[in-house]
Amino acid sequence: MSSDPTSISGDLPLLDAAEHPELLPPAVHAALPAGARVCAIDPEVADTAALVEAHGVSLEASGNCVVVAGKREGEERVAACVVLATTRADVNSAVRKALGVRKASFLPVERATAETGMEFGGITPVGLPDGWRVLVDTAVAQAEWVLIGSGVRGSKLVVRGADVAALPGAEVADIAIGR
């Protein structure tokens, strides 16, 4: 993988994310890792497959973030899971075990968006509520750069994989299937 973040962004121009708060929710802007880039996109192509087709972004360097929850002894355990777009989160096994619950499920859309303050299809591990766990797949942590959601459907972030792994609440684990 290249040390140049533009190598994964296809034809999308990358901007210094810190200098473009208008493209990000306030909580995401406040939590940006150093060197993060942002690109404006048409919200209609925010889903990974559509973005890859429309702009030639790297599928192998694109990441997806899903929010899951489970209960143990009456206590709910919530986590955001970040995996490469070429895989999917192993919710029924690896994620469930990491959360220490018998059953893990995707958080309902309305609740995920309300609690994160982000748009569905744009949820990102950057700027999540305090105390949330962030399960980062090993492949994401090892990626030089990864293109992820920005909190809104009208932009994407490009950040170092190591920075995703260093976010508050982050834990690196093998949580993806389909490699």
Side-chain angles (χ1 to χ4, degrees):
M1 189 76 48
S2 170
S3 61
D4 177 12
T6 62
S7 67
I8 68 165
S9 63
D11 65 9
L12 293 168
L14 296 180
L15 307 168
D16 182 334
E19 294 180 10
H20 290 278
E22 74 281 5
L23 295 174
L24 304 165
V28 174
H29 186 259
L32 285 172
R37 307 290 194 274
V38 67
C39 52
I41 63 168
D42 178 346
E44 295 297 316
V45 297
D47 294 329
T48 304
L51 193 65
V52 168
E53 184 177 330
H55 293 285
V57 302
S58 170
L59 179 64
E60 294 76 18
S62 295
N64 290 323
C65 181
V66 296
V67 181
V68 299
K71 286 188 179 180
R72 177 79 180 238
E73 298 172 356
E75 173 195 343
E76 183 177 54
R77 300 175 183 189
V78 177
C81 302
V82 188
V83 298
L84 292 180
T86 54
T87 65
R88 63 183 205 273
D90 184 4
V91 175
N92 294 321
S93 184
V95 172
R96 178 185 59 76
K97 288 176 186 172
L99 291 175
V101 297
R102 289 191 177 155
K103 181 182 178 195
S105 303
F106 294 104
L107 211 59
V109 171
E110 299 79 19
R111 186 167 165 216
T113 57
E115 291 187 21
T116 62
M118 300 178 196
E119 295 177 0
F120 180 70
I123 293 178
T124 182
V126 179
L128 289 170
D130 289 340
W132 274 43
R133 290 175 70 184
V134 181
L135 303 177
V136 180
D137 186 61
T138 305
V140 172
Q142 293 173 346
E144 182 74 30
W145 294 96
V146 62
L147 184 136
I148 58 175
S150 67
V152 295
R153 291 183 62 86
S155 64
K156 292 285 184 177
L157 286 175
V158 175
V159 297
R160 289 177 183 85
D163 289 336
V164 176
L167 290 170
E171 305 165 35
V172 176
D174 290 326
I175 60 162
I177 55 176
R179 294 183 211 272

